Amino acid sequence: MALSIEDIKKIAHLARIEVSEGDAAATLSKLTGILGLIEQMQAVDTTGIVPMSHSQDLSQRLRDDVVTKVNLREEFQKNAPALGNGSSEPAVADGLYLVPKVIE
Amino acid sequence: MINSSLKQLGDMLQTKKISSVELTQSFLSRISEYNPAINAYIALDEAKTLAQAKAADALIASGSALPLTGIPIAQKDIFCAKGWQTTCGSKMLANFIAPYDAQVISQFDAVGAVNLGKTNMDEFAMGSSNETSYFGGVKNPWDFDRVPGGSSGGSAAAVAARLCAAATGTDTGGSIRQPASLCGLTGLKPTYGVVSRYGMIAFASSLDQAGPMAKSAEDCALMMNVMAGFDERDSTSLQREKEDYTRDLNKPLHGLRIGLPKEFFAEGLDANVGNVIEGAIAEYKKLGAEIVEISLPNTGLSIPVYYVLAPAEASSNLSRYDGVRYGHRAAEYTDLMDMYCKSRAEGFGAEVKRRILIGTYVLSAGYYDAYYLKAQQIRRLIAQDFIEAFKQCDVIMGPAAPSTAFKAGEKVDDPVAMYLQDIYTISTNLAGLPGMSVPAGFSAGSDGKALPVGLQIIGNYFDEARMLNVAHQYQQVTDWHTRMPELKASGDLA
Amino acid sequence: MEWEVVIGLETHAQLQTKTKIFSGASTAFGAEPNTQACEVSIALPGVLPVLNKEAVQCAIKFGLAVNAEIAPRSVFARKNYFYPDLPKGYQISQYELPVVGKGAVTIQVPAAGKNAAYEKVINITRAHLEEDAGKSVHGAVEGMSGIDLNRAGTPLLEIVTEPDMRSAAEAVAYAKQLHELVQWIGICDGNMQEGSFRCDVNVSVRKKGSEKLGTRREIKNLNSFKFMQQAIEYETNWQIETLEDGGTIQQATILFNPDTGETRAMRSKEEANDYRYFPDPDLLPLEVTEADKAAVRANMPELPEAMKARFEAQYALSGYDASALTTSRALADYFVAAVDAGAEAKQAANWVMGSVSAKLNAEDKAIHDSPVSASQLAQLLKRIADATISNNAAKQVFEAMWAGEADVDVIIEAKGLKQVSDTGAIEAIINEVLAANSAMVEEYKAGKEKAFNALVGQAMKASKGKANPAQVNDMLKKKLTA
């Protein structure tokens, strides 16, 4: 399964990482190398083997439905990034996190 | 004093031969002397640290001290610590001040240990040389031209250079054991689920596990007594009885069955490293251990499997860094999509981006079965290899890393070569087993400098106390773990 | 050419828990922005999810209520996509192994025009637990959207049907039935304005008789039954017209605009999504044992089906009446309360489904908002039963009570609606009527039965409607045959 520049652009878009035209070729060569390493798996017959997601064969523990969290909005919003586009103000207003307009 | 064990330091504190403030200050002054060159720490906050030391002294004075009360510990910068800059080695979080404590941090706070600072690391724990850190590489205290290993390179260098009494690390594919090996210290990655992951910034959730990095097995045992324990905030935290990891340290090793996997001594292992490991095995024979040849036939597949599973989980774990609520946001952007793509392109370094892209690819439509599912199936085969092996032996031994510390810059542009550093460590993460690296001797590097070699000890699930016993008994008859690099002060390095 | 519409629903019901599905933050509605957004809700680095027990029990309750298979082992998966209201960049949901498997709901489709009412079974494909997203708020700052994460992490049960519905009426009947059911079993408050119950409707059309499904378009986030009806009707017509004009339907996610009554494709969803689902490594498989199910079952209220059977047996109601009364727990409770307060069951059923329902529908009110309480209704029905008032008079009393007057007897008195049952008074009226209508009397005697009814009418009219009709009947018959 050879990767193409188009694949790089597609996955970069899915991952929301800007990759310039120049970087795409370099990224392609590095990722191709890594995929080459990964390809070794294809030689193994895994028919009938149950996939292993966790190292423990346990079930999910459940939490009681009790409110334990308090409002720490001001504390959390101290970490808000700068708004950008010329403004160094934090990207919050009236307790809301600010992002470029969301279009539905 | 800087070379004292945690037990010795504890005794000195509790008999008031020294105060925690004094002890802390002596480490802080070493840090100001040597850290500019070594770069083991990303964040230091003298005021906070000394306040904790003062509080520890009060605790000691009141007679309610615990074994680690007042002892300065370095914390890997992967743990959120309230009020501390917590970066995970990334530009993405360069300005992030954690508003809460990781469970590991809370546990050290609860026993009155002192947080000495946040140690450098590969960005988001992705790397085996500490060179992917946004805050610069870390020097190996044994040879400043060389890397300390990674991702817990800052913690390893800090312990090796005696810039802390002990440190925490995390290990997703070898990130405690490989730097411990390269820096000549004792490091333990516990069974998955023994130490809470709450507040530990996620790389690959099903593999990440925190553990101690210290000068000796005994120190690691004392650290484990603080770090291990059930945490209801982590669904993968195990509900087990609290245990004393020092309890078996002094048991004799007579009759211990040591399994040597032939795959760990095959092609790819540096011959000098191999010799050191064989020397250590000979020592164990003298201690009464039996040697059993075993096979872990799927060892070679652990790297391909890991480089599917870890990036897949990482690609998703790192999606939260979108420049909306915290972290880096691009200075200029046109719309939401542009803000996402630029913020993430700028905030993440090259290796992190590579792994996000690989992870995104292996999970994407049409590839999931061939990569992700297949890797999970082989993961089971790898775990089964260990289950079979432990029918024949009590512990497994081998090298922790295929070579001694390599030169900075040597592998940074060759991800595949870098990934092979973890060939002996990754399989235990995949299986969820505990693994250790223990100093076992030195091997001369290409330029003649003696570089440490680590012996890896792999135990069965929850066998940490026995592994610590196995390491401790070795450390009673060897002195590799007490060796310390000769350091030049920052001024001497230009 | 005859077209057939094929409809399937995906419903998001917010579960009535105190806290979020994976954290101890409150789910109370209407708090100031981000004041209920804890470190887990805003996805700070290092936080982890722990599953809420109550949310799991709600899912089991639902599974039991629709006779579904409940998975002994189900798995949480991550659905990966970027959106500002999704702080982790993935939604924790269930994908391959949902907690609730195949089940079914029986719906009552009301009569419409020349079509009679009918029942239909709608198959449930699955229901799974997942977390809700936050909200985007517009207008706080020019050109920006504000993100409020109070809702992020609220537990949802997504209930998915087979494409079993064939009209907007069926889809609405199903949605209403489901809406009642989730409230009946106490897992969702059903508040559609607050978004507690939201429906996505998949609509496709095909030529009648065709087995193959057409390309579907998904109408997102419908939060009223009226809009659902309008949206489906508009969308169905649009698809048929498009196909008849030689066009093709592209799979799309669309929104309904209540102001224009039209549907349009969403701009943000234009690109094909690749959600990269995989099992969430932070969560272990959810196990539900037989004992867990039994414990939930023991705390379940009587379900509509069981209650319907009981109503038929206990109150001698027809199947239709019993079904209609058990479409909603509140309606059933109202009926039972009226009977318990002394109303005769069949009459109570007729009134609840007749006058009471008609008034509620006309005023778009729910049964618990009815100005006439069950005990008031019972009082009224007792006055019919004891012949104090006629059925017609009772309707006037009911109107008065609806308008806010409280006491049945006071209203009867004030409006002078009491029936005349005094034999002497009725006899006097009948004598007058017989005297004034000798022609009719002759007709009756000649065998024209209709004349009798006319005479009764005259007598009632003469009494201004107050005479007891049964007595009038009896006495008139006696007089004429004497």
Side-chain angles (χ1 to χ4, degrees), chain C residues 212-475:
Chain C
K212 210 171 140 251
L213 290 172
T215 304
R216 65 191 161 88
R217 305 215 309 164
E218 182 182 18
I219 315 169
K220 276 275 179 201
N221 274 332
L222 291 165
N223 62 356
S224 104
F225 300 125
K226 198 173 103 192
F227 295 159
M228 181 185 292
Q229 178 98 28
Q230 291 174 0
I232 295 172
E233 282 168 356
Y234 178 87
E235 178 64 19
T236 306
N237 289 334
W238 181 86
Q239 289 191 16
I240 292 170
E241 278 169 26
T242 302
L243 291 171
E244 285 186 339
D245 290 350
T248 52
I249 306 294
Q250 302 295 321
Q251 191 161 334
T253 306
I254 57 181
L255 289 174
F256 175 68
N257 182 341
D259 299 329
T260 62
E262 294 177 357
T263 53
R264 67 161 173 89
M266 279 174 85
R267 272 187 279 178
S268 61
K269 301 264 180 170
E270 268 167 18
E271 54 177 297
N273 273 308
D274 183 347
Y275 292 124
R276 292 158 283 135
Y277 282 99
F278 74 105
D280 191 329
D282 287 331
L283 291 160
L284 298 167
L286 170 64
E287 283 183 5
V288 178
T289 63
E290 287 304 316
D292 295 333
K293 281 192 267 182
V296 172
R297 200 189 304 267
N299 288 315
M300 291 266 284
E302 184 181 26
L303 292 173
E305 285 290 306
M307 192 178 273
K308 177 184 169 232
R310 181 165 64 82
F311 279 12
E312 288 178 48
Q314 188 176 344
Y315 303 118
L317 295 179
S318 69
Y320 181 82
D321 286 355
S323 280
L325 285 172
T326 52
T327 48
S328 124
R329 178 124 164 237
L331 196 68
D333 288 348
Y334 186 93
F335 164 75
V336 170
V339 173
D340 287 351
E344 191 273 318
K346 175 64 191 163
Q347 198 171 31
N350 289 344
W351 273 77
V352 170
M353 292 180 299
S355 299
V356 177
S357 292
K359 275 299 218 183
L360 291 172
N361 283 341
E363 295 181 16
D364 201 17
K365 279 192 168 115
I367 186 81
H368 56 259
D369 297 325
S370 168
V372 177
S373 71
S375 62
Q376 280 176 298
L377 181 69
Q379 195 61 29
L380 177 64
L381 300 189
K382 277 195 276 185
R383 289 293 167 266
I384 299 172
D386 67 12
T388 306
I389 51 172
S390 67
N391 244 319
N392 273 335
K395 294 217 163 92
Q396 292 180 53
V397 179
F398 180 77
E399 288 291 338
M401 286 196 290
W402 194 273
E405 292 178 52
D407 192 285
V408 172
D409 292 333
V410 172
I411 299 168
I412 293 170
E413 200 60 46
K415 293 196 182 285
L417 293 172
K418 207 168 207 164
Q419 263 182 161
V420 177
S421 301
D422 173 53
T423 322
I426 291 175
E427 190 171 12
I429 289 168
I430 286 178
N431 287 340
E432 270 175 42
V433 167
L434 292 177
N437 296 281
S438 52
M440 272 189 215
V441 175
E442 287 310 313
E443 279 177 32
Y444 176 73
K445 287 185 171 165
K448 279 198 174 174
E449 280 291 322
K450 262 189 182 170
F452 181 79
N453 290 338
L455 287 166
V456 170
Q458 289 295 324
M460 290 305 292
K461 196 176 165 189
S463 77
K464 297 193 178 78
K466 284 191 244 172
N468 182 329
Q471 272 180 301
V472 171
N473 249 308
D474 285 356
M475 201 171 286

Side-chain angles (χ1 to χ4, degrees), chain B residues 100 199 235 316-317 320 325-326 365, chain C residues 42-43 45-46 49 78 80 87 274:
Chain B
Y100 77 103
S235 295
S316 176
N317 282 334
R320 67 189 58 200
R325 301 162 313 284
Y326 54 81
Chain C
I42 68 167
R78 293 183 181 181
N80 294 284
D274 183 347

Side-chain angles (χ1 to χ4, degrees), chain B residues 126-178:
Chain B
M126 298 176 191
S128 304
S129 68
N130 215 109
E131 290 166 294
T132 71
S133 171
Y134 173 66
F135 301 91
V138 175
K139 300 278 194 293
N140 188 318
W142 293 94
D143 179 350
F144 279 14
D145 291 338
R146 292 177 190 270
V147 301
S151 67
S152 311
S155 286
V159 175
R162 307 300 191 250
L163 303 185
C164 60
T168 56
T170 62
D171 190 316
T172 305
S175 282
I176 286 175
R177 291 159 289 161
Q178 184 257 12

Side-chain angles (χ1 to χ4, degrees), chain B residues 80 93 96 99-100 192 197-201 205-206 232-236 312-313 316-317 319-322 325-326 329 333 336-337 340 344 360 363-365 368 372 376, chain C residues 39-51 78 80-90 96 144 147 149 271 274-284:
Chain B
C80 286
L93 291 175
F96 181 70
Y100 77 103
Y192 182 85
R197 293 186 297 117
Y198 196 83
M200 180 178 126
I201 298 177
S205 312
S206 79
E232 61 182 13
R233 296 173 302 176
D234 174 0
S235 295
T236 61
E313 292 184 18
S316 176
N317 282 334
S319 291
R320 67 189 58 200
Y321 307 107
D322 57 5
R325 301 162 313 284
Y326 54 81
R329 181 186 288 201
Y333 50 86
L336 181 66
M337 178 65 78
Y340 279 150
R344 289 167 59 79
T360 303
L363 288 173
S364 64
Y368 181 87
Y372 188 79
Q376 282 202 326
Chain C
E39 59 271 32
V40 177
S41 311
I42 68 167
L44 283 185
V47 299
L48 296 169
V50 184
L51 184 56
R78 293 183 181 181
N80 294 284
Y81 66 96
F82 285 86
Y83 211 68
D85 66 9
L86 188 72
K88 294 188 294 297
Y90 58 85
E96 282 182 334
M144 306 291 280
I147 306 299
L149 298 171
E271 54 177 297
D274 183 347
Y275 292 124
R276 292 158 283 135
Y277 282 99
F278 74 105
D280 191 329
D282 287 331
L283 291 160
L284 298 167

